[in-house]
Amino acid sequence: KAGVTQTPRYLIKTRGQQVTLSCSPISGHRSVSWYQQTPGQGLQFLFEYFSETQRNKGNFPGRFSGRQFSNSRSEMNVSTLELGDSALYLCASSLGDRNTEAFFGQGTRLTVV
Amino acid sequence: GQNIDQPTEMTATEGAIVQINCTYQTSGFNGLFWYQQHAGEAPTFLSYNVLDGLEEKGRFSSFLSRSKGYSYLLLKELQMKDSASYLCAVRVAPSGNTPLVFGKGTRLSVIA
């Protein structure tokens, strides 16, 4: 069974640009969550999608947005990039039911210069 | 707000036992997870506790006390490959599937 796939693995962008990251969950998983990981803050929740609907949202500005497609694949978009957006962005998929574990992808390392 | 505390770094010797503590103060509790993350890799699931007590899985055990807001991860017979970050995470909502709130992680170094 294929794991969670995130593309691209590495990305370098300039301040002010926008970026789109992609996540393909494990087959059969309907929930996709996005996290930002930085050395100072650890893993912070961005948002979760379930059956194409945003089910939960963290405390990030509106520049961070996402969506989920009918095949459960998800994309995350960050507009007007800032230097502080440099981080590892992780996607986690799960069945979406209560108490089920989340499986993480390898992440996308975003560097904003 | 939600608060999950873990030590930042720990060092232990190969073959020894190490205990990584996690304390939490959250608005709700619906389970505690431990993940292992090697540098440059994805976090991988280690254990899940929702009831008080000890869950054992091979060399790894995890303990939970809900009344104390406390958990620990116990690693026995340490191996060099156990050098990694260990993340404690709480599912906060009282019911349903909600995102995990993570601690900042404990970086464990296993030395010979």
Side-chain angles (χ1 to χ4, degrees):
Chain A
K1 197 180 207 184
V4 180
T5 305
Q6 289 189 247
T7 56
R9 289 292 308 278
Y10 303 92
L11 207 48
I12 299 176
K13 289 285 189 179
T14 305
R15 258 186 313 177
Q17 286 187 310
Q18 73 152 16
V19 68
T20 299
L21 312 181
S22 180
C23 172
S24 293
I26 292 171
S27 177
H29 284 193
R30 295 163 66 191
S31 168
V32 173
S33 298
W34 288 89
Y35 292 84
Q36 181 195 66
Q37 187 175 34
T38 58
Q41 298 299 318
L43 269 154
Q44 293 188 286
F45 171 72
L46 282 154
F47 28 66
E48 184 218 0
Y49 286 86
F50 181 82
S51 293
E52 301 178 68
T53 301
Q54 188 179 84
R55 190 159 69 168
N56 289 287
K57 189 177 190 306
N59 297 323
F60 277 78
R63 300 185 296 107
F64 292 81
S65 63
R67 57 178 176 169
Q68 186 179 34
F69 302 95
S70 58
N71 61 358
S72 292
R73 189 177 71 85
S74 177
E75 286 182 348
M76 189 193 110
N77 185 76
V78 188
S79 62
T80 321
L81 283 166
E82 301 176 359
L83 295 179
D85 297 333
S86 294
L88 179 66
Y89 290 88
L90 289 161
C91 160
S93 84
S94 72
L95 289 170
D97 299 328
R98 182 178 177 166
N99 300 337
T100 56
E101 68 195 76
F103 295 84
F104 284 86
Q106 296 281 74
T108 294
R109 172 76 61 186
L110 172 66
T111 302
V112 182
V113 297
Chain B
Q2 322 294 355
N3 199 41
I4 299 176
D5 286 318
Q6 322 176 219
T8 304
E9 291 187 27
M10 297 182 72
T11 301
T13 306
E14 193 177 15
I17 299 173
V18 71
Q19 177 174 312
I20 303 174
N21 295 325
C22 171
T23 57
Y24 63 90
Q25 292 170 299
T26 55
S27 55
F29 180 84
N30 194 28
L32 187 143
F33 296 76
W34 284 95
Y35 282 83
Q36 179 192 59
Q37 186 178 25
H38 284 99
E41 296 184 13
T44 55
F45 170 79
L46 288 177
S47 70
Y48 167 68
N49 295 70
V50 67
L51 299 176
D52 289 352
L54 189 69
E55 294 281 341
E56 296 188 78
K57 199 186 275 188
R59 294 189 300 116
F60 292 49
S61 304
S62 57
F63 171 83
L64 175 67
S65 168
R66 289 172 297 170
S67 61
K68 295 181 180 176
Y70 167 70
S71 172
Y72 68 72
L73 180 70
L74 195 72
L75 290 75
K76 303 175 190 173
E77 300 168 17
L78 279 173
Q79 301 174 11
M80 300 299 283
K81 67 178 182 179
D82 297 329
S83 293
S85 285
Y86 291 86
L87 310 174
C88 171
V90 172
R91 181 159 279 147
V92 173
S95 64
N97 182 56
T98 57
L100 301 175
V101 178
F102 282 84
K104 293 185 181 178
T106 299
R107 188 160 58 244
L108 174 66
S109 298
V110 180
I111 58 175

